[in-house]
């Protein structure tokens, strides 16, 4: 069992509604095109596939997709969209769980590697990706850059969303390299606010590169988004691609 917090049934049932905007065809198209090109004629494995926000439409594009998911409740929501023969899912953690066969692409999107709350487990996630990759295959991670530049001395919180229906801010433990995302989400137009929070271990791009080297992977490309915008010191997130050397 890893340090990841387990998503319960209630959270799984409302996940798709909360991510409707990021799950629209227009929003997903750049990511799907990016991943499909890297997968080529091979198979793709999604770590922490969740409700299939990315995996299901990628499979519909013709890429054979398999998934690993820790939460049975999240996987149950995915199963309403695609059966086991179409998109097989193995219940387990992304740091140690094995799926049969080889893959040309392993991917981990939407900041999800931060769900592993220790550096050791994040390293094991890279090693697990490398074990699944065929020679020449790629491991892709989408992850935010820690927003510590917005954290003045003496302040422990950074807001990331202030809107009519949602208030979100992160608080930071700079010693343990852990942040807690706090969400206040309004139920309906005039309903009460629901409070949720989740813990994450943030990591810098250079730290991920070292994890990749430990796993025998080489950095091939880093961009600021799925559209391929150049990554700079002002980028809020990155999409990074590491390659397993040909044997």
């Amino acid at each position: 069992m890893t340090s990841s917090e387990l998503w319960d049934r209630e959270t799984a049932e409302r996940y798709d509604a909360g991510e409707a905007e990021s799950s629209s065809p227009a929003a997903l198209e750049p990511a799907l095109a990016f991943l499909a090109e890297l997968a080529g004629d091979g198979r793709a494995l999604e770590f922490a596939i969740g409700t299939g926000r990315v995996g299901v439409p990628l499979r519909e594009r013709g890429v054979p997709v398999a998934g690993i998911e820790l939460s049975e409740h999240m996987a149950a929501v995915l199963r309403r969209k695609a059966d086991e023969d179409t998109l097989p899912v193995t219940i387990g953690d992304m740091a140690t769980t094995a799926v049969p066969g080889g893959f040309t692409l392993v991917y981990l999107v939407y900041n999800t590697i931060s769900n592993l709350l220790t550096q050791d487990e994040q390293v094991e996630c890279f090693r697990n990706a490398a074990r699944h990759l065929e020679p020449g295959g790629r491991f892709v991670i989408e992850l935010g850059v820690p927003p510590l530049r917005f954290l003045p001395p003496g302040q422990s919180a950074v807001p990331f969303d202030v809107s009519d229906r949602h208030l979100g801010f992160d608080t930071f433990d700079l010693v343990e390299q852990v942040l807690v995302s706090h969400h206040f989400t309004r139920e309906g137009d005039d309903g009460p606010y629901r409070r949720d929070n989740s813990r994450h271990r943030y990591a810098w791009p250079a730290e991920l590169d070292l994890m990749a080297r430990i796993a025998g992977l080489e950095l091939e490309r880093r961009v600021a988004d799925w559209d391929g915008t150049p990554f700079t010191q002002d980028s809020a997130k990155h999409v990074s691609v590491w390659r397993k050397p040909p044997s």
Side-chain angles (χ1 to χ4, degrees):
M1 183 64 181
T2 74
S3 62
S4 295
E5 296 176 340
L6 191 62
W7 290 46
D8 59 21
R9 185 187 304 276
E10 182 181 357
T11 303
E13 290 295 334
R14 63 172 182 252
Y15 180 83
D16 283 351
E19 298 297 333
E21 183 176 349
S22 65
S23 302
S24 69
L28 282 176
E29 175 55 30
L32 297 177
F34 192 107
L35 295 171
E37 180 179 1
L38 290 181
D41 296 328
R43 303 167 65 215
L45 174 62
E46 181 172 355
F47 284 177
I49 195 169
T51 65
R53 185 184 71 92
V54 174
V56 170
L58 186 61
R59 179 66 184 88
E60 291 171 349
R61 270 180 104 98
V63 178
V65 177
I68 293 173
E69 174 54 44
L70 183 62
S71 169
E72 294 185 17
H73 303 298
M74 295 288 279
V77 176
L78 181 153
R79 197 49 71 222
R80 300 170 196 163
K81 308 170 187 177
D83 60 29
E84 180 69 16
D85 290 336
T86 302
L87 203 167
V89 175
T90 301
I91 300 299
D93 68 81
M94 56 186 161
T96 63
T97 301
V99 175
F103 298 84
T104 57
L105 173 66
V106 177
Y107 65 95
L108 181 54
V109 300
Y110 221 37
N111 300 320
T112 312
I113 193 171
S114 69
N115 290 0
L116 297 170
L117 298 178
T118 69
Q119 186 182 67
D120 285 345
E121 289 177 348
Q122 290 179 350
V123 169
E124 289 307 313
C125 180
F126 272 83
R127 284 178 165 157
N128 199 29
R131 285 192 291 268
H132 284 92
L133 286 173
E134 297 175 350
R138 275 90 169 184
F139 183 34
V140 176
I141 285 181
E142 176 191 22
L143 184 63
V145 176
L148 300 189
R149 294 170 68 185
F150 298 101
L151 196 64
Q155 182 174 311
S156 62
V158 172
F160 58 84
D161 184 36
V162 179
S163 59
D164 291 340
R165 300 287 294 274
H166 178 255
L167 302 175
F169 60 92
D170 292 329
T171 54
F172 293 84
D173 182 333
L174 302 182
V175 174
E176 297 297 328
Q177 208 164 307
V178 169
L179 67 84
V180 179
S181 287
H182 304 264
H183 302 267
F184 293 84
T185 307
R186 193 166 197 172
E187 303 283 3
D189 293 330
D190 300 311
Y193 280 89
R194 183 185 71 251
R195 179 177 180 178
D196 301 291
N197 62 71
S198 58
R199 293 188 300 155
H200 305 270
R201 182 185 186 274
Y202 62 85
W204 302 95
E207 185 181 5
L208 298 183
D209 290 342
L210 182 56
M211 294 180 189
R213 289 180 60 189
I214 291 170
L217 304 176
E218 302 171 347
L219 180 66
E220 182 178 72
R221 184 184 183 196
R222 173 167 292 128
V223 291
D225 53 38
W226 296 109
D227 290 313
T229 304
F231 180 77
T232 72
Q233 65 179 2
D234 296 319
S235 298
K237 74 170 188 177
H238 62 98
V239 176
S240 297
V241 182
W242 296 272
R243 186 169 182 257
K244 184 174 184 177
S247 57

